[in-house]
Amino acid sequence: MPEQAEPEPLPKPMEAGREVVEDYGHLGLTLRKHPVSFLRSELTRQRLRSCAEAISLRDGRWVNLVGLVLLRQRPGSAKGVMFITLEDETGVANLVVWAKVFEKYRRTVLGSGMLGVKGRVQREGEVVHIVARELIDLSGELASVGSRDKAFPLPHGRGDEFHHGSPAPDPRGIAKPRDMFDPYGHIDEIKVKTRDFR
């Protein structure tokens, strides 16, 4: 009967940015594109360089760069100096944050998943550090990775109401905030697990 011949539903594949967010949510890492690569064109317009570009500059040059915070170290023998390792799609960069700069940007340093840095290149042979002068919390941009491509539409109603609409929303389909568990504070946000040593 023609009424029973329904087409096979083919769900739309998840967009690339959303896949990365889901990977980080479940595994804490991804084998797909690096999260910063979704933001690279916007970061380039803001004159924020990649880690590879930053560490290739000459000694003493000023540089603005951005990356995910992988590691924070504040050894007791370093007299209050903090060392931070940033990562993006091109590699890693090591930051030196002097005690005065750390105190000025304490909340940003300790709470950011993605940092923007203005600093000076310090090169000694093959060892390259960026001495930070200014730090910017870019975690808000990192949280937008899941929506950078077209978002995957989730069904919002019951039955055919999703396709045809209904005169009034079905109260059973409306999730109450207290009913949803969100460990990161925002469902679409990438939470980078950094390693902090003291």
Side-chain angles (χ1 to χ4, degrees), residues 17 20-21 33-50 66-68 87-89 113-116 137-149 188 190 192:
V20 170
V21 171
K33 288 173 67 175
H34 195 280
V36 179
S37 66
F38 292 96
L39 309 170
R40 182 53 60 194
S41 59
E42 183 179 318
L43 296 171
T44 302
R45 281 195 302 272
Q46 296 175 17
R47 297 184 179 172
L48 292 166
R49 294 181 184 244
S50 68
V66 66
L68 298 181
E87 177 195 58
D88 66 6
E89 73 275 19
M114 188 165 90
L115 270 178
D137 184 359
L138 296 175
S139 300
E141 282 78 2
L142 180 61
S144 70
V145 167
S147 62
R148 285 295 167 160
D149 294 325
D188 294 334
I190 293 178
V192 180

Side-chain angles (χ1 to χ4, degrees), residues 85-139:
T85 301
L86 297 183
E87 177 195 58
D88 66 6
E89 73 275 19
T90 65
V92 297
N94 295 310
L95 307 181
V96 175
V97 182
W98 296 110
K100 278 186 171 181
V101 177
F102 173 74
E103 290 305 323
K104 184 176 180 181
Y105 297 101
R106 182 183 196 89
R107 181 175 289 180
T108 300
V109 169
L110 297 178
S112 299
M114 188 165 90
L115 270 178
V117 181
K118 180 178 182 179
R120 192 180 290 265
V121 177
Q122 186 181 64
R123 178 182 294 278
E124 195 169 313
E126 294 297 315
V127 179
V128 181
H129 290 96
I130 310 298
V131 180
R133 297 281 191 247
E134 185 178 335
L135 299 161
I136 305 159
D137 184 359
L138 296 175
S139 300

Side-chain angles (χ1 to χ4, degrees), residues 1-20:
M1 294 175 54
E3 293 86 18
Q4 294 177 343
E6 294 186 12
E8 185 72 26
L10 297 173
K12 182 180 173 185
M14 206 180 295
E15 296 292 339
R18 187 77 204 143
E19 289 179 352
V20 170

